[in-house]
Amino acid sequence: MMSLLFSKLKRQLMLGVFTAAIAAPFAGSAAHAADFKFAGPLDAYTLDPHAVSNTLIFAVLANVYEPLVRRDAEQKLEPALATDWKQIDDTTWEFNLRKDVKFSNGNPFTADDVLFSLTRGQAGGIKANLNSIASVEKVDDFKVRFTTRAVNPILPNQLTNWFIMDKEWAEANNAVQPGAANNATETFANRNAMGTGPYVIKERDPGVKTVFASNPNWWDKKTGNIDNATFFVIANPSTRVSALISGEVDMIDGVPPQDADRIEKDPKLHVKAGPDLRTIYIQPDVARDSLIFGSEKAKNPFKELKVRQAMEIAVDSGAIQKRIMRNFSVPVGLPIGKEVNGFDETLGAPVKPDLDKAKALMKEAGYEDGFSVTLDCTNDRFMNDEATCLAVAASLARINIKVEPRAQPTAKWATQVNPPEYNTSLAMLGYSPNTYDAHIFLTSIAATRDPKSGLGAFNIGGYSNPEVDKLIDAIGKETDQEKRSGLIKDAFRLIKADAAFIPLHQLNILWGVKDNVTVVQPADLAYPLRYFTVK
């Protein structure tokens, strides 16, 4: 049965990122409104759309808040709160805004909300996503012009997870300033939401459940039939699978690979599998002069290139794929996935493990006897994240790097590791480029950290290469796609040579779904309820 399951899922994956989306637009023929219950391993730890660039938070909030430009069921760009847009000159974009749109409290949507949301967003944890925008001008109530800092050929792509807030609502509720990325500060917007989207949040019990209800005044029409939806947080994987099998929920996210066969054996259930944009990688702290969580207090071994190179070839991502992930991951040699524009097949080939060479590099670097360090991981964020963390620790032990895994719930992990603290010496991380383009990884993760501009905001290890920074700047301005691709390749060639990011694998998305439910499964991990149908 297991081989049949893998064969079935392999056919799904070979069809590409958008396979699961194709059937959903035809679901609009369903006449009855339906309730839908689904569960995942962790909660969106804030409802503030500008606090942090986090895929799960975006996945939840995209049902309530809307951007100017969104992605359709096949993940192509389409108008949302903007009806159309055009590039007037090298640094000017004009957007016409949709008229007669209201926030769910009845307040009208206008250009003032766009201007407010830009100021707020650029002050928060999503500033790197908006870094290319120098200013926005209100032409009239339903037209705005963005001025970019330089030529930016992909501005619309960068706006898909920039959600527009109600300026009046935020001011009335003392939520003008965004919450902190580490969730250390809280405003009214952390626990409440006011958007223009297809749903409103009817009930919220953080860490337990979020209840969505249809927004009767939404400007658009759903193609699915979900009227009410409840998202339950069920951290324990076995409990989550049992909730699906028993019929308590209609769908679960984060199916453990070891339980996929159990779900497929149930005649009323199936596993929906597709590529995940997110790539998991290890990043050492190369900025500090010593290990804040490790044995080396006089110096930092991760500043030594040969140590990082040794780590890269000591970790066997192929073994992790087979033993931990049950083949529901794809080893890669870059910290971006294959579906991301800019991925290069040659650079992205998995690194072959070579234990003897790794030991030799450690000796050359002066660390033949090794050292100890804490590896910070989550235990509820990625598929089999804690098990992967333990596997990495075991691999590094073979070259005398004594790793103590510290696996924590995401909410606690984020408070420690996220900006502005960056309190880690070695971390297992994941990133999903919501623009489907490599530039956002480069600006958010690989650029030298600059708190003022937001560049490198989630560069947890403090990596810095001036040549990479120059290339990132050039990529942002280049309009010739062939030249742009060459610049991206050059940037990743340098990053790979520096071994400051140690890629493990690109994940698969695994959902367990009832057979009477039709879903769309985007590669950016969203839950687009407006397309879901219960028959």
Side-chain angles (χ1 to χ4, degrees), residues 64-65 101-109 113 165-173 188 193-197 199-201 215-218:
V64 178
Y65 286 102
V101 173
K102 294 184 183 298
F103 290 92
S104 55
N105 61 1
N107 288 345
F109 159 71
D113 301 304
M165 288 185 72
D166 178 3
K167 177 177 183 286
E168 184 179 338
W169 177 83
E171 291 174 340
N173 290 287
F188 188 76
M194 183 57 60
T196 59
Y199 295 90
V200 299
I201 291 182
N215 178 1
N217 299 316
W218 189 40

Side-chain angles (χ1 to χ4, degrees), residues 381-453:
R381 187 179 181 195
F382 313 130
M383 185 195 306
N384 282 1
D385 48 3
E386 185 171 5
T388 302
C389 187
L390 294 171
V392 169
S395 291
L396 295 179
R398 299 187 301 171
I399 56 172
N400 292 327
I401 299 179
K402 304 166 189 67
V403 173
E404 180 184 345
R406 175 165 51 193
Q408 304 178 84
T410 299
K412 186 175 181 181
W413 176 94
T415 301
Q416 174 199 327
V417 173
N418 270 353
E421 282 79 12
Y422 306 105
N423 282 334
T424 183
S425 291
L426 185 65
M428 189 173 81
L429 306 161
Y431 189 74
S432 179
N434 60 74
T435 61
Y436 288 76
D437 186 90
H439 190 246
I440 193 170
F441 174 89
L442 294 171
T443 57
S444 300
I445 309 293
T448 299
R449 289 198 302 237
D450 180 6
K452 179 178 282 189
S453 69

Side-chain angles (χ1 to χ4, degrees), residues 289-301 372 425:
D289 292 328
S290 62
L291 297 180
I292 57 172
F293 299 113
S295 60
E296 302 298 300
K297 300 303 181 184
K299 54 185 176 179
N300 181 353
S372 64
S425 291

Side-chain angles (χ1 to χ4, degrees), residues 42-165:
L42 71 162
D43 197 10
Y45 62 81
T46 179
L47 297 184
D48 190 326
H50 303 147
V52 60
S53 183
N54 178 278
T55 50
L56 178 64
I57 293 170
F58 291 152
V60 171
L61 293 184
N63 293 295
V64 178
Y65 286 102
E66 293 182 295
L68 299 184
V69 184
R70 71 186 182 191
R71 294 189 181 276
D72 65 14
E74 297 182 2
Q75 299 303 287
K76 296 176 182 176
L77 291 183
E78 69 172 5
L81 292 181
T83 56
D84 57 271
W85 52 90
K86 61 182 177 181
Q87 190 167 13
I88 296 175
D89 57 40
D90 283 351
T91 59
T92 308
W93 286 79
E94 186 173 272
F95 286 72
N96 288 311
L97 306 181
R98 195 174 297 279
K99 298 178 180 178
D100 300 320
V101 173
K102 294 184 183 298
F103 290 92
S104 55
N105 61 1
N107 288 345
F109 159 71
T110 70
D112 291 332
D113 301 304
V114 176
L115 270 63
F116 168 76
S117 296
L118 179 65
T119 300
R120 193 177 190 274
Q122 288 185 326
I126 66 165
K127 68 174 69 174
N129 302 22
L130 304 172
N131 172 262
S132 69
I133 301 173
S135 63
V136 60
E137 171 195 0
K138 174 183 174 181
V139 179
D140 59 41
D141 280 347
F142 297 99
K143 181 178 291 188
V144 296
R145 287 197 189 112
F146 291 97
T147 299
T148 57
R149 301 183 192 279
V151 179
N152 182 358
I154 62 166
L155 180 64
N157 300 64
Q158 296 172 339
L159 303 181
T160 56
N161 278 335
W162 170 46
F163 297 130
I164 305 302
M165 288 185 72

